[in-house]
Amino acid sequence: MLDELLLRKLAAVEARYDELSAMLGDATVLANRQQMQKLSKEHADLRELIEKLRAHRDVARRADEARELQKDPELREMARQEESELAAEQEQLERQMKVLLMPKDPNDEKNILLEIRAGTGGEEAALFAADLFRMYTRFAERRRWQVELLSSSSASAGGLREVILGINGKDAFSFLKYESGVHRVQRVPATEAQGRIHTSTATVAVMPEVEDVEINIDAKDLKIDVMRSGGPGGQSVNTTDSAVRIHHIPSGLIVHCQQEKSQHKNKAMAMKLLRAKLYDIEEEKRAAAERDARRSQVGSGDRSEKIRTYNFPQDRVTDHRIGLTKHNLPGIMDGDIQDIIESLRAHYQAEALKNSAQPDDASKK
């Protein structure tokens, strides 16, 4: 059942939603494009919660009717069954509303920069990094997100030592933020003559794209070099000084971009990547402080944490943070990772709900 405090919160949200609905029909608001966009976004952000609230009221009404019908001996058993089903539906709606009432991660709606690096395992690790690159690209395509290759470094056997993607789409960070960490593969490499299973790794970092105002970078702290692009890209790329490397002296970070023929475009991409990396460092510091304060939380999200294993001989993927096992590896490597991602999101939402309830529980003791 919803407690009194939660009911008051929901009533206030519903009053605001109704107010916004009325304002969006006002001619003065319709004539002001900037105000219209702002209010429309707020209205849209509240819509799902209000739909859940009104569905919850409808279910509660039907449950009352089912209890009333139990007074009739001929309908009692059927009404009890219906009441039980409605109670489960009510409970699910209450959980969903509590999640929607929680403060949102300010990064959830942002586009992302996704970085994949080959880890231990030599050429096989580079091949696995290329497999992950394809997996995330295919997942983005399934969601109709836009994917932009920002930087890549090829390995001799056809894999990737490093690749950085820009992924633009609705709630991209919200969906992929739990993919950061060490991914492990167990399989027989194509180069292994004796059929022995090898274990290799690749690291994934998912960073929200940030604006200039969010990360202040002093031009005096940058060392910018331009050079001739190397690798594939065509004659016009390889014969001009279009590649850009930026060294951020205070942090020691070095970023590099050579995908475009234009030096200005490469510099802009490199700066975008640098901002994201600096922001990510600050976010990781904040997250580390939270982990230290809440040791009981399951799954730290630490970049050094082994988060998932892809076992090809057994056609099995295991996410170690939540103990989830899935089969159909070919489909998963082709981007069919929606179920895994939804399971992770549900798990961490439940953890956040549990942790947010702890202070209230403590105060009751």
Side-chain angles (χ1 to χ4, degrees):
M1 292 291 293
L2 297 172
D3 60 40
E4 193 62 35
L5 177 62
L6 197 55
L7 284 169
R8 284 202 300 270
K9 283 184 180 178
L10 288 166
V13 172
E14 186 174 29
R16 177 58 178 166
Y17 183 81
D18 290 339
E19 181 186 14
L20 288 166
S21 298
M23 291 170 72
L24 289 171
D26 186 280
T28 308
V29 174
L30 291 169
N32 187 329
R33 187 181 174 199
Q34 188 174 2
Q35 187 184 18
M36 180 70 180
Q37 287 178 336
K38 181 182 176 182
L39 296 178
S40 294
K41 184 181 185 308
E42 185 182 354
H43 188 264
D45 288 343
L46 296 179
R47 184 179 298 121
E48 185 180 2
L49 176 58
I50 297 306
E51 287 173 352
K52 301 288 184 192
L53 173 60
R54 291 172 179 173
H56 183 272
R57 284 187 190 138
D58 181 60
V59 171
R61 177 188 56 77
R62 287 158 54 201
D64 287 340
E65 291 173 355
R67 278 189 290 273
E68 190 66 27
L69 285 173
Q70 289 175 38
K71 295 175 182 178
D72 185 333
E74 294 183 3
L75 300 174
R76 185 172 298 148
E77 194 56 41
M78 181 187 72
R80 281 177 179 168
Q81 176 67 26
E82 184 180 3
E83 184 187 6
S84 176
E85 292 171 358
L86 290 168
E89 191 175 343
Q90 266 187 300
E91 188 177 342
Q92 183 182 18
L93 285 166
E94 287 170 13
R95 279 198 305 268
Q96 291 170 342
M97 286 191 289
K98 287 175 182 176
V99 169
L100 290 168
L101 275 171
M102 288 171 58
K104 288 188 175 181
D105 182 338
N107 293 321
D108 274 352
E109 296 181 359
K110 291 183 178 178
N111 299 324
I112 65 167
L113 299 177
L114 189 148
E115 179 183 75
I116 305 169
R117 290 176 179 267
T120 57
E123 293 295 335
E124 172 61 13
L127 289 169
F128 179 48
D131 291 339
L132 291 177
F133 163 69
R134 184 177 186 278
M135 181 181 81
Y136 289 121
T137 301
R138 292 285 292 122
F139 175 71
E141 289 170 353
R142 287 167 185 251
R143 296 199 64 82
R144 301 187 184 280
W145 291 341
Q146 180 183 352
V147 179
E148 182 180 18
L149 181 63
L150 300 182
S151 176
S152 66
S153 174
S154 301
S156 58
L160 292 167
R161 300 200 184 282
E162 176 189 280
V163 62
I164 301 171
L165 303 173
I167 299 181
N168 301 341
K170 180 174 170 54
D171 298 331
F173 186 75
S174 174
F175 277 89
L176 291 175
K177 62 184 176 181
Y178 301 119
E179 294 300 293
S180 292
V182 177
H183 295 240
R184 183 176 70 169
V185 64
Q186 294 174 324
R187 64 185 175 189
V188 178
T191 54
E192 172 57 57
Q194 298 181 20
R196 292 176 297 187
I197 296 173
H198 285 222
T199 298
S200 305
T201 64
T203 59
V204 173
V206 178
M207 299 164 282
E209 187 177 301
V210 295
E211 302 298 328
D212 296 1
V213 292
E214 295 176 86
I215 289 289
N216 182 31
I217 300 176
D218 193 326
K220 297 194 297 291
D221 291 336
L222 301 178
K223 182 177 183 295
I224 301 176
D225 298 312
V226 295
M227 63 207 76
R228 190 156 296 180
S229 297
Q235 186 176 359
S236 60
V237 173
N238 294 320
T239 57
T240 60
D241 291 332
S242 59
V244 174
R245 181 173 61 207
I246 301 177
H247 179 195
H248 184 251
I249 298 167
S251 67
L253 283 174
I254 297 175
V255 295
H256 178 267
C257 189
Q258 64 172 40
Q259 295 305 122
E260 298 290 336
K261 297 176 183 179
S262 163
Q263 184 187 122
H264 295 294
K265 287 184 179 179
N266 282 328
K267 182 181 177 183
M269 285 184 179
M271 286 299 295
K272 179 192 290 189
L273 180 57
L274 178 61
R275 282 195 299 271
K277 283 179 173 285
L278 289 171
Y279 183 84
D280 194 52
I281 289 171
E282 293 304 312
E283 285 291 284
E284 187 64 19
K285 286 179 184 176
R286 181 190 58 76
E290 287 183 3
R291 289 196 296 271
D292 290 341
R294 191 178 288 154
R295 291 288 184 181
S296 61
Q297 184 173 344
V298 178
S300 68
D302 194 304
R303 286 289 155 80
S304 62
E305 181 185 8
K306 179 187 71 179
I307 64 168
R308 192 175 299 150
T309 295
Y310 305 72
N311 186 305
F312 278 74
Q314 297 179 21
D315 185 33
R316 184 186 74 225
V317 172
T318 301
D319 195 288
H320 305 289
R321 295 164 294 180
I322 58 175
L324 176 72
T325 295
K326 291 281 184 182
H327 296 279
N328 183 30
L329 246 177
I332 288 169
M333 301 312 294
D334 192 45
D336 187 11
I337 57 174
Q338 183 72 26
D339 286 350
I340 297 174
I341 286 172
E342 290 294 354
S343 297
L344 285 164
R345 295 177 79 198
H347 168 81
Y348 284 108
Q349 284 174 349
E351 285 293 307
L353 271 176
K354 184 169 67 177
N355 289 322
S356 68
Q358 284 175 0
D360 292 335
D361 293 343
S363 66
K364 292 174 186 175
K365 292 181 181 178

